[in-house]
Amino acid sequence: MRTYIAAAAAVVMLMLTSCAIGTDGGQSKSSETFFAMDTYVTVTAYGDNADGAVKAAKDKLTQLEKLWSVTDEGSEIYAINHSGGQPVTVSDNTAELISFALDMSDKTDGALDPTIYPVLTAWGFTTDENRVPDESEIAELLGRVGHEKVSISGNSVSLQSGVMLDVGAVGKGFAGDILTQEMKDSGVTSALLDLGGNIQMIGTKPDGENWRIGLRDPKGDGNIGVLSAADCAVVTSGSYERYFTADDGKVYGHIIDPKTGYPVDNGLLSVTVIASEGRLCDALSTALFVMGLDGAQDYRRQHTEQSFDMILITSGGYIYITEGIKDSFTLDGEHSRMEIKVIE
Ligand code: ADP
Ligand code: MG
């Protein structure tokens, strides 16, 4: 089942410029970097249809962002959040995204919760004016959180009073799946999409070798190691991406445990999920980060219907990696003393 990862190949740096057309391995190459969904996105494709496919992917992502932004007054998510409880009819893409998020929220026992937004706002993560809310405020806001407070029937979505929907934890992965499918449909057989660290691949590199995916060091600027992979998605969640230090010196990250309303603080620094679909990777990287080291392993044992591999990095300096990818991951030299533990 975990055939999408092959053995390690030679390290090749991907040189990405903001907009480039050239050749690579005898195939034409097209690459564009732009800002969308609150992050820098780079789409690189190879082959005859590369140029048109990259442009189409950029247009599509811009379109999806307009539908899914929680702050854009023209978005479908905004319409749902401000309808006063009235059902709102949304596009097929949005309905599928919401259904998926609710389903994953259910499966992860609420570790992923697309209604966490009011709590996130109280911590200031939506405005960057961070603060530590007091316990009573959090308790009150948690009363407005829960995937069961969202109803979806066909393309019609409604929320219970006070509930807010935010697809931030799954939107990029879901968008990546839509983009890669469209690129495949237009004939692209080799492409790499980087949506702010959400990596999605079509096939291998044009020369037939695996892609080399750098795994961010959650404690520093560089990479901790490199994963050799093809035709799959690799998505990382961690508190190092967005956090603030409060007056008491404590560091609070942007992923909230919906059971407590507090930012996750369980000894995990990052969770990387590798699977064939970006949506599953994105949902699980966030959810498993909430669950913690033991919870993540329990989840994987209990959900064998979801085929995925994972890499968990702990504050104690350990890297836990599932057996299926252990030979595909290579630590960078300066991190070679970190201890790798293989999860069955
Ligand atoms: P990123 O989008 O930064 O790459 P994630 O996919 O892990 O990382 O999504 C984190 C975002 O999801 C947060 O910035 C916040 O908007 C939202 N979020 C935080 N905690 C949760 C949660 N438990 N469930 C769902 N969404 C969450
Ligand atoms: Mg996510």
Side-chain angles (χ1 to χ4, degrees), residues 37 56 118 132 160 314:
M37 294 197 172
V132 180
Q160 288 179 19
T314 70

Side-chain angles (χ1 to χ4, degrees), residues 9-305:
V11 175
V12 176
M13 290 292 290
L14 270 172
M15 302 297 286
L16 300 172
T17 57
S18 63
C19 178
I21 301 173
T23 58
D24 200 323
Q27 291 205 43
S28 56
K29 170 184 175 180
S30 180
S31 184
E32 250 197 89
T33 297
F34 51 96
F35 198 78
M37 294 197 172
D38 221 13
T39 189
Y40 284 98
V41 174
T42 299
V43 181
T44 306
Y46 299 87
D48 294 340
N49 304 325
D51 200 23
V54 169
K55 285 199 172 66
K58 182 180 175 184
D59 288 349
K60 185 70 187 185
L61 194 62
T62 310
Q63 188 191 327
L64 294 174
E65 176 182 24
K66 286 206 177 102
L67 293 179
W68 299 345
S69 164
V70 70
T71 49
D72 184 338
E73 295 183 12
S75 84
E76 293 188 333
I77 298 296
Y78 192 93
I80 294 168
N81 285 341
H82 296 85
S83 77
Q86 292 304 305
V88 173
T89 302
V90 297
S91 61
D92 288 349
N93 280 332
T94 303
E96 280 171 40
L97 170 71
I98 294 171
S99 297
F100 174 74
L102 296 176
D103 182 44
M104 286 305 296
S105 187
D106 191 31
K107 286 201 168 80
T108 61
D109 194 22
L112 178 86
D113 197 319
T115 64
I116 197 69
Y117 194 73
V119 178
L120 204 70
T121 305
W123 284 93
F125 283 113
T126 54
T127 54
D128 282 338
E129 285 167 22
N130 293 112
R131 56 188 276 271
V132 180
D134 63 42
E135 280 178 30
S136 59
E137 185 182 354
I138 291 175
E140 193 189 321
L141 290 172
L142 281 177
R144 295 163 52 185
V145 173
H147 63 89
E148 72 287 347
K149 296 181 170 62
V150 184
S151 308
I152 179 159
S153 168
N155 288 35
S156 174
V157 186
S158 55
L159 305 179
Q160 288 179 19
S161 164
V163 177
M164 303 275 282
L165 200 57
D166 166 26
V167 293
V170 286
K172 279 187 287 174
F174 206 91
D177 288 341
I178 293 173
L179 263 44
T180 47
Q181 189 55 53
E182 288 197 353
M183 292 176 91
K184 282 180 187 170
D185 290 347
S186 69
V188 172
T189 55
S190 173
L192 187 103
L193 289 78
D194 178 347
L195 291 84
N198 278 36
I199 307 292
Q200 302 212 207
M201 297 153 246
I202 297 177
T204 62
K205 289 192 296 168
D207 63 5
E209 296 281 341
N210 274 0
W211 305 98
R212 311 279 306 168
I213 311 299
L215 226 72
R216 272 277 306 276
D217 176 1
K219 278 184 166 169
D221 286 336
N223 287 338
I224 207 158
V226 175
L227 185 73
S228 165
D231 211 27
C232 66
V234 179
V235 176
T236 301
S237 284
S239 46
Y240 64 89
E241 292 164 358
R242 212 137 44 87
Y243 59 87
F244 73 97
T245 307
D247 292 342
D248 60 3
K250 210 166 153 27
V251 177
Y252 295 101
H254 70 136
I255 299 178
I256 307 282
D257 182 345
K259 290 214 161 51
T260 64
Y262 280 79
V264 169
D265 180 20
N266 59 17
L268 282 183
L269 295 180
S270 71
V271 173
T272 301
V273 176
I274 302 101
S276 55
E277 288 196 312
R279 68 191 69 187
L280 182 68
C281 293
D282 204 357
L284 283 182
S285 64
T286 308
L288 301 178
F289 186 74
V290 172
M291 289 178 201
L293 180 60
D294 293 340
Q297 294 182 66
D298 288 346
Y299 182 89
R300 189 164 174 278
R301 273 192 291 272
Q302 286 158 13
H303 290 269
T304 47
E305 83 284 0

